[in-house]
Amino acid sequence: MESIRFAESLSMFVDVAQAKSFSAVARRKGLVASSVARQIDALEQDLKVPLFTRSTRALVMTEAGTLLFERAVKILHEMSDARSEVVSLDGSVQGLLRVSCVPAFGRRHVAPHLGSLFDKHPALNVELELTERVVDPVLERFDLVIRIGDQPDSSLICQRIGSQRYIMGASPAYLQRQGRPRRFADLAQHRLIDRQHSTSARGWRELDGFDWSRPPQFALESNDCDARRMCASQGLGIALMPNWAIGEDLAAGRIVELDLEGAPRQEPSGIFLVRAAPRASAKVRAFTAHLLESIGRSASWVGDEATARE
């Protein structure tokens, strides 16, 4: 039993080290901050070294804390893998599945299908984190991370579940009111909807071909994909959006795709389920199968080229 308590303390220590806060971990676990602090105190007393330097403004790992964190993450991950493999030997789907995903994709293509997943597997629990951060499934102990865009070579296991293509589109009302652009250069006379503080290929500013001596007018800038989609469908301007975000709007005619002469070519990229464990557990396999069935049935942006494959 002593080893079980030590494993629990390690898990709490890793959570605190990642959050850099007792109170944040306490809120997530439904505890009081003093309870979390006492557990860390007990671990420090057991190891006879301080793991954190504490002040009213910050919680910083000591050298011993950094060393323990690196080892603890690996230990906890291997323990989780071992438990998942043993539990899945009988094919049962149960326990907690931790999934991370970008917010817009999660809201549109993951969360709507969780109810039917639970109908199939009532003993399964899902923790879904929606974040724009690049989540490391090893360090942050996620079973699955949904990533968009081609992935660098790594030791992680990537399963492609779809393809992403960026689409230039506007509502019929906007095109009737402002005229339909025919060439990419015509966008200089139009109102655009862009990603706020754009720093990647997801925004207009990263496309080659704009004459920035006469920059286009940005009617709206937002860091939320769904906000940009809704504003485009309401006629605020022309948006550059991923197909998975506006597939339903295109199908319903709320947004019209524009094929502009001279527009820079944008190669499609993948949408992936990423995991660290070499062998998928029963709960990972169940979630993956259900997601593929759900998006394949309901999402107009998934084409034949997006058939999932290892």
Side-chain angles (χ1 to χ4, degrees), residues 120-164:
K120 292 180 182 177
H121 308 292
L124 181 66
N125 305 103
V126 174
E127 181 180 306
L128 177 63
E129 177 174 301
L130 301 181
T131 178
E132 294 283 357
R133 293 185 302 106
V134 178
V135 171
D136 186 323
V138 177
L139 291 179
E140 302 187 51
R141 291 181 290 156
F142 278 92
D143 298 287
L144 286 171
V145 175
I146 299 176
R147 289 184 179 172
I148 298 175
D150 292 334
Q151 300 302 302
D153 292 337
S154 72
S155 60
L156 300 175
I157 308 300
C158 295
Q159 179 174 355
R160 185 169 179 147
I161 62 171
S163 288
Q164 172 180 265

Side-chain angles (χ1 to χ4, degrees), residues 104-125:
F105 190 91
R107 286 192 294 263
R108 296 186 67 77
H109 300 297
V110 179
H113 307 301
L114 291 180
S116 51
L117 175 66
F118 295 148
D119 288 341
K120 292 180 182 177
H121 308 292
L124 181 66
N125 305 103

Side-chain angles (χ1 to χ4, degrees), residues 87-88 90-97 117 120-125 281-287:
V87 169
S88 64
D90 64 355
S92 60
V93 178
Q94 58 179 291
L96 176 65
L97 180 74
L117 175 66
K120 292 180 182 177
H121 308 292
L124 181 66
N125 305 103
S281 64
K283 59 187 179 182
V284 166
R285 293 196 302 271
F287 178 89

Side-chain angles (χ1 to χ4, degrees), residues 19 52 60 62-63 79 98 101 114 117 122 124 127 172 194 196 219 227 232 234 240 251-252 277 282 286:
F52 294 101
V60 181
T62 62
E63 182 180 358
M79 288 175 60
R98 301 189 71 226
C101 182
L114 291 180
L117 175 66
L124 181 66
E127 181 180 306
D194 200 17
Q196 187 179 25
Q234 293 168 11
L240 178 67

Side-chain angles (χ1 to χ4, degrees), residues 6 10 13-14 64-79 139:
F6 182 66
L10 277 185
F13 164 72
V14 169
T66 301
L67 175 61
L68 181 62
F69 178 77
E70 293 173 354
R71 297 290 184 90
V73 166
K74 295 178 182 178
I75 291 169
L76 293 171
H77 190 74
E78 290 175 358
M79 288 175 60
L139 291 179

